[in-house]
Amino acid sequence: MIRLLPAILILIVTVFHAHALEPKKTYGTASLMVVVERERGSVAVFDSIRHELLGRVEGLGNLRHATMVFSRDARYAYVIARDGVVSKIDLISMAVEAKAKAGENSIGIAISRDNKFIMVCNYEPGGVTILDSDTLKTVKEIPAVIKEFPDGTKLRSRTVGPLDTADNLMIFGLMEGGAVWVVDMRQEGFPVIKKFEDVGDTPYDQLITPDGRHYLVGLLNSDWMGLLDTWKLDSMKKIDVRERRAGLKAEGEKAPLYHIPHLESWGIANGLAFVPAFAEKRVIVYDMKDWSVVKSIPVAGTPLFVVARPGGREVWVDNVGAPGSPEERTIDVISVETLSVKKSIDAGKGALDPQFTPKGEAVYISIREEDKVAVYDTDTFKLLKEFPVHKPSGIFSSDRASKCGL
Amino acid sequence: MIRLLPAILILIVTVFHAHALEPKKTYGTASLMVVVERERGSVAVFDSIRHELLGRVEGLGNLRHATMVFSRDARYAYVIARDGVVSKIDLISMAVEAKAKAGENSIGIAISRDNKFIMVCNYEPGGVTILDSDTLKTVKEIPAVIKEFPDGTKLRSRTVGPLDTADNLMIFGLMEGGAVWVVDMRQEGFPVIKKFEDVGDTPYDQLITPDGRHYLVGLLNSDWMGLLDTWKLDSMKKIDVRERRAGLKAEGEKAPLYHIPHLESWGIANGLAFVPAFAEKRVIVYDMKDWSVVKSIPVAGTPLFVVARPGGREVWVDNVGAPGSPEERTIDVISVETLSVKKSIDAGKGALDPQFTPKGEAVYISIREEDKVAVYDTDTFKLLKEFPVHKPSGIFSSDRASKCGL
């Protein structure tokens, strides 16, 4: 018996040591800030009240263009890697709880209104995959078949999106199909209940308006956008956006289009939509009542993310420019009252993707080429804090958990 | 040494037993549902994804008219009891972490945009108290002095509210003062930066529009409401609400006014405000562009809470009626498209305060006289679950944590 004693003591020490090693922080999950470390395949998780690093989760794959959604309680983040792998990250234990292959080449992800299902949009094979949000088991695949040949061969389109709506629909675009499909997530078997054809040339992105009612689809090669009333699901109206695309047609190259601005990055405030122009150094302001152009606001570079501060009083814009240019260091702050730039911040090389805390008193910005994330006070424009983060790209605030279409 | 062995074994057993006793549930805090148990001075906390009781917290005092706000990460709920005691509840450990007296007779509470301060509105002594949100220590008291007599005596008004804004202001009403005051929570010493006088007779409640820009104050004895642009803070405009108050002036008593409907309970959807009439069985619909009356919608009783479902497609209404009447059992569901009641639910005796899950697929309703909370599927109107809850009153979803004015 006495020979057991050392073993027992080791056991006791181990038990207490494990606890001592992990003075596990306790925190609510409603205002976390999750930053993608693109090259390392990891995310860094911050407490956006105290601006503290809470932890990192690694092994998430190729995070180029990676995006994520949150479970409704914001305990989990679902990250889609470019290689089609979905990782379910536990933001409390800071571990990957489940992983599954949803496609070969994937770009978009959404969570259903009821928190039960994840939908992934795939470039390859063209279509969408629906996963159980708990286990990440595939429950349904919907191939985006746009043509069937006499020999039975099927042509599939790349898909983009998806977006969830308050009616528990999922909406996604078919790039080669020029179409938008609507899936009912309430019904057994997840039927495609609507197919809008001839929407335009190459749907590439979409958004849902903050009131939750209207869906907009952007088209790479058409001079309009599609507008759908999700309450009626009757027809896709055409919204004239020639103004936004003027730069593409200008004599000579006005400004190189380094990145295609995405619709999800539009700022919507005070009944206005603040929209990045293509290949021009300006933000175009549309009146959302009739989609008339209200104003064009010059900014430092070609805008990428145009983000409304909570409360809608300002719109923050990052800019793309040539590597090493002043443009790519500049964050422009537009006043929604005066519709002009009220402040330009030299935030560092490759400043992008401003993401506000839930009530907007601070903003997180990726400074990609300086391997850091900067946190600014939005009232004073003072730098509050910087964190070392490896090649940061997208930043996602967990208050998205309660919002449709994000 | 061998005699130590039993003690060591007991220690080991104790350590493991403690863990076995507490298979502590781990959960995110972004979608909790907190229900006030009025008579018991406690709250019950539910997981609104799985519809499970997570725990109860007791000893919160007199919870008549109790209300609460959440810390930004939704880890804490701050509950104000009628006797002026603020309790800071940890929604993870299910314990009261701090308690402080903020007044003698208190009715309203808000948390500042930056999560640092709590403001409480007091009937007695008339004024507001500002507390540190961490420790609940009083950092400032602002007496609502509306008259000073030659002998130095000061007359103080009861205060109502407060509301926080995206600019980190706090706004509250002075009932006897007929005034609205604005406090700047960013500035040292929390100065009152604006005092709007002669707003009307007895401000009793307020709201901030979902876009975060406009403030509305309800007046008990005036035929108008006050409307303030919080971006400009220039003047309090008068909005005609005689239609809403018609029942108060009707010959004979149209319907007894058992409870005064509060502005915070207004449903705002699709650019319309759905407003409970006073002492009449109808909901009045105003166009928020010009505050013209769009329609009057008959409902079962005198409406109390008029709540927009997330996405804005429906408005759910509880009704007050005589004890034992069918009215007080009825929840009416108004279609925002047709502006008429599409469904009436017999939910039980004393059904009140419908509170939606963050994306609106389910709704929690207090069935006060049956000591239960009912959970309905909002698509099918089917009862999903019932929980025994003692005399439930207000229900608060923790996604309020990221919203100003809630």
Side-chain angles (χ1 to χ4, degrees):
Chain A
M1 198 67 167
I2 192 111
R3 281 157 53 198
L4 273 175
L5 204 52
I8 290 165
L9 285 173
I10 285 167
L11 180 64
I12 293 168
V13 168
T14 307
V15 167
F16 283 99
H17 192 61
H19 279 260
L21 267 180
E22 281 181 46
K24 188 83 187 81
K25 261 191 193 156
T26 304
Y27 48 87
T29 53
S31 64
L32 304 174
M33 206 58 94
V34 185
V35 182
V36 172
E37 296 185 299
R38 197 169 79 170
E39 311 292 324
R40 284 202 177 146
S42 56
V43 296
V45 183
F46 297 90
D47 168 348
S48 82
I49 295 178
R50 281 162 289 269
H51 307 310
E52 287 171 4
L53 177 70
L54 293 170
R56 272 195 165 76
V57 185
E58 298 180 343
L60 307 176
N62 174 355
L63 297 188
R64 203 174 142 243
H65 284 279
T67 182
M68 69 182 72
V69 290
F70 296 91
S71 65
R72 173 116 63 71
D73 58 357
R75 174 173 179 184
Y76 298 107
Y78 298 89
V79 181
I80 177 73
R82 194 58 196 253
D83 58 5
V85 172
V86 177
S87 298
K88 179 187 182 186
I89 299 172
D90 185 337
L91 297 170
I92 296 173
S93 69
M94 294 294 171
V96 177
E97 196 180 281
K99 231 176 185 182
K101 188 96 171 152
E104 295 305 320
N105 183 345
S106 309
I107 199 130
I109 191 165
I111 187 161
S112 63
R113 181 194 65 171
D114 56 13
N115 200 65
K116 287 186 183 146
F117 302 103
I118 299 289
M119 186 186 272
V120 171
C121 275
N122 293 318
Y123 277 10
E124 294 170 50
V128 302
T129 304
I130 302 173
L131 314 171
D132 179 298
S133 70
D134 193 22
T135 61
L136 293 192
K137 277 196 185 131
T138 294
V139 293
K140 171 95 176 181
E141 287 182 284
I142 304 175
V145 175
I146 52 173
K147 197 166 183 183
E148 289 200 49
F149 297 95
D151 68 354
T153 314
K154 287 169 183 170
L155 181 66
R156 292 168 75 158
S157 169
R158 294 180 293 168
T159 62
V160 291
L163 279 186
D164 63 305
T165 81
D167 293 314
N168 216 3
L169 306 174
M170 284 279 192
I171 311 182
F172 61 93
L174 287 76
M175 294 184 80
E176 287 74 28
V180 168
W181 288 6
V182 181
V183 175
D184 190 338
M185 301 297 289
R186 288 170 300 200
Q187 286 188 53
E188 191 74 29
F190 311 102
V192 178
I193 58 164
K194 278 276 182 180
K195 293 183 179 180
F196 295 95
E197 315 286 354
D198 298 322
V199 160
D201 191 344
T202 319
Y204 80 102
D205 202 10
Q206 39 183 19
L207 69 74
I208 200 142
T209 51
D211 66 6
R213 176 164 182 176
H214 292 97
Y215 163 91
L216 276 163
V217 59
L219 301 155
L220 267 192
N221 304 315
S222 294
D223 279 347
W224 63 86
M225 286 188 320
L227 175 68
L228 174 68
D229 182 342
T230 67
W231 292 6
K232 299 189 193 295
L233 292 180
D234 50 356
S235 67
M236 194 73 71
K237 281 185 199 148
K238 288 182 182 175
I239 306 296
D240 183 338
V241 287
R242 276 173 294 181
E243 179 73 16
R244 187 188 177 209
R245 301 168 60 81
L248 296 176
K249 293 168 184 172
E251 290 291 316
E253 200 180 41
K254 276 193 160 175
L257 187 58
Y258 293 99
H259 291 275
I260 296 172
H262 278 237
L263 270 72
E264 242 183 60
S265 69
W266 287 19
I268 292 179
N270 208 30
L272 305 171
F274 294 77
V275 179
F278 277 1
E280 283 186 284
K281 297 178 177 181
R282 58 188 182 122
V283 168
I284 301 169
V285 186
Y286 289 93
D287 186 329
M288 291 184 77
K289 276 200 306 290
D290 56 8
W291 292 95
S292 58
V293 176
V294 175
K295 202 177 172 185
S296 246
I297 304 172
V299 289
T302 53
L304 189 59
F305 285 92
V306 177
V307 189
R309 175 173 157 183
R313 199 159 182 177
E314 286 165 3
V315 165
W316 288 50
V317 183
D318 61 8
N319 291 286
V320 183
S325 66
E327 290 94 305
E328 65 154 4
R329 306 178 58 90
T330 306
I331 300 287
D332 287 312
V333 180
I334 293 173
S335 159
V336 172
E337 278 176 280
T338 65
L339 298 182
S340 59
V341 173
K342 65 189 261 195
K343 176 79 183 175
S344 292
I345 300 168
D346 180 358
K349 199 176 175 191
L352 86 165
D353 201 355
Q355 178 82 25
F356 291 93
T357 55
K359 289 188 179 176
E361 84 289 351
V363 64
Y364 280 58
I365 302 172
S366 283
I367 317 296
R368 197 184 47 211
E369 302 307 324
E370 297 181 12
D371 289 323
K372 68 187 185 190
V373 162
V375 185
Y376 282 86
D377 181 311
T378 53
D379 288 332
T380 61
F381 309 112
K382 273 189 196 141
L383 182 66
L384 292 173
K385 209 153 179 181
E386 288 184 336
F387 297 101
V389 175
H390 191 259
K391 294 274 172 285
S393 57
I395 307 183
F396 301 84
S397 171
S398 68
D399 69 326
R400 292 166 174 245
S402 63
K403 293 174 185 162
C404 284
L406 284 182
Chain B
M1 197 67 170
I2 193 110
R3 281 157 55 198
L4 271 176
L5 205 51
I8 290 166
L9 285 172
I10 285 166
L11 180 64
I12 293 169
V13 168
T14 307
V15 167
F16 281 101
H17 191 60
H19 280 259
L21 267 182
E22 282 181 44
K24 189 84 185 82
K25 262 191 192 156
T26 304
Y27 49 87
T29 54
S31 64
L32 302 174
M33 206 59 93
V34 184
V35 182
V36 172
E37 295 185 300
R38 198 170 75 169
E39 311 293 325
R40 286 202 177 146
S42 56
V43 297
V45 183
F46 297 90
D47 168 348
S48 81
I49 295 178
R50 281 161 289 270
H51 307 309
E52 288 171 4
L53 176 71
L54 292 169
R56 271 194 167 77
V57 185
E58 299 180 343
L60 307 175
N62 175 355
L63 297 189
R64 203 173 143 245
H65 284 280
T67 182
M68 70 182 72
V69 291
F70 295 91
S71 65
R72 175 115 64 70
D73 58 356
R75 174 174 179 182
Y76 298 106
Y78 297 89
V79 181
I80 177 74
R82 193 60 195 251
D83 58 5
V85 172
V86 177
S87 298
K88 180 186 181 187
I89 299 171
D90 186 337
L91 297 170
I92 296 174
S93 70
M94 294 294 171
V96 177
E97 196 180 282
K99 233 176 183 182
K101 188 98 171 148
E104 295 305 320
N105 182 345
S106 309
I107 198 130
I109 190 166
I111 186 161
S112 64
R113 182 195 65 171
D114 56 13
N115 199 65
K116 287 186 184 147
F117 302 103
I118 299 290
M119 185 185 272
V120 171
C121 274
N122 293 320
Y123 276 12
E124 294 169 52
V128 302
T129 305
I130 302 173
L131 314 171
D132 180 299
S133 70
D134 193 22
T135 61
L136 293 191
K137 277 197 184 128
T138 295
V139 294
K140 171 96 175 180
E141 287 183 284
I142 303 175
V145 175
I146 53 173
K147 197 167 184 183
E148 290 200 49
F149 298 96
D151 68 353
T153 313
K154 287 170 182 168
L155 180 66
R156 291 167 75 157
S157 169
R158 294 180 293 167
T159 62
V160 291
L163 280 185
D164 63 306
T165 80
D167 292 314
N168 215 3
L169 306 174
M170 285 280 192
I171 311 182
F172 60 93
L174 287 76
M175 293 184 80
E176 287 73 28
V180 168
W181 288 8
V182 181
V183 175
D184 191 339
M185 301 296 289
R186 288 169 299 201
Q187 286 187 55
E188 190 75 30
F190 312 102
V192 178
I193 58 165
K194 278 275 181 181
K195 294 183 178 181
F196 295 96
E197 314 287 353
D198 298 322
V199 160
D201 191 343
T202 319
Y204 80 102
D205 202 10
Q206 38 182 21
L207 70 73
I208 199 141
T209 51
D211 66 6
R213 177 164 180 175
H214 292 97
Y215 163 92
L216 276 164
V217 59
L219 301 156
L220 266 192
N221 304 315
S222 294
D223 279 346
W224 63 86
M225 287 188 319
L227 174 68
L228 174 68
D229 182 342
T230 67
W231 291 8
K232 299 188 193 298
L233 291 179
D234 50 355
S235 67
M236 194 73 71
K237 280 185 197 145
K238 288 183 182 174
I239 305 296
D240 184 337
V241 287
R242 277 174 294 181
E243 179 72 16
R244 185 186 179 210
R245 300 169 60 84
L248 296 176
K249 293 168 183 171
E251 290 292 316
E253 199 179 43
K254 278 193 160 175
L257 187 59
Y258 294 99
H259 291 276
I260 296 171
H262 279 238
L263 270 71
E264 242 182 59
S265 69
W266 287 19
I268 293 179
N270 208 30
L272 304 171
F274 293 78
V275 179
F278 277 2
E280 282 186 285
K281 296 177 177 180
R282 57 187 182 123
V283 169
I284 301 168
V285 186
Y286 289 92
D287 186 329
M288 292 183 77
K289 276 200 306 290
D290 55 8
W291 292 94
S292 58
V293 176
V294 175
K295 202 178 171 183
S296 245
I297 304 171
V299 289
T302 53
L304 189 60
F305 285 92
V306 177
V307 190
R309 176 174 155 182
R313 198 159 183 176
E314 286 165 3
V315 165
W316 288 50
V317 183
D318 61 8
N319 291 286
V320 184
S325 66
E327 290 94 306
E328 65 155 3
R329 307 178 57 89
T330 305
I331 300 287
D332 287 312
V333 181
I334 293 172
S335 159
V336 172
E337 278 175 281
T338 65
L339 298 182
S340 59
V341 173
K342 64 188 261 194
K343 175 79 184 175
S344 291
I345 300 169
D346 180 356
K349 198 175 176 192
L352 86 165
D353 201 354
Q355 179 82 25
F356 292 93
T357 55
K359 288 187 179 177
E361 84 289 351
V363 64
Y364 280 57
I365 301 172
S366 283
I367 317 295
R368 197 184 45 211
E369 302 307 323
E370 297 181 11
D371 289 324
K372 67 187 184 191
V373 162
V375 185
Y376 283 86
D377 180 312
T378 53
D379 289 331
T380 62
F381 309 113
K382 274 189 196 140
L383 182 65
L384 291 174
K385 209 154 178 180
E386 289 184 333
F387 297 100
V389 175
H390 190 260
K391 294 273 173 284
S393 56
I395 307 183
F396 301 84
S397 171
S398 68
D399 70 326
R400 291 166 175 246
S402 63
K403 294 174 184 162
C404 284
L406 284 182

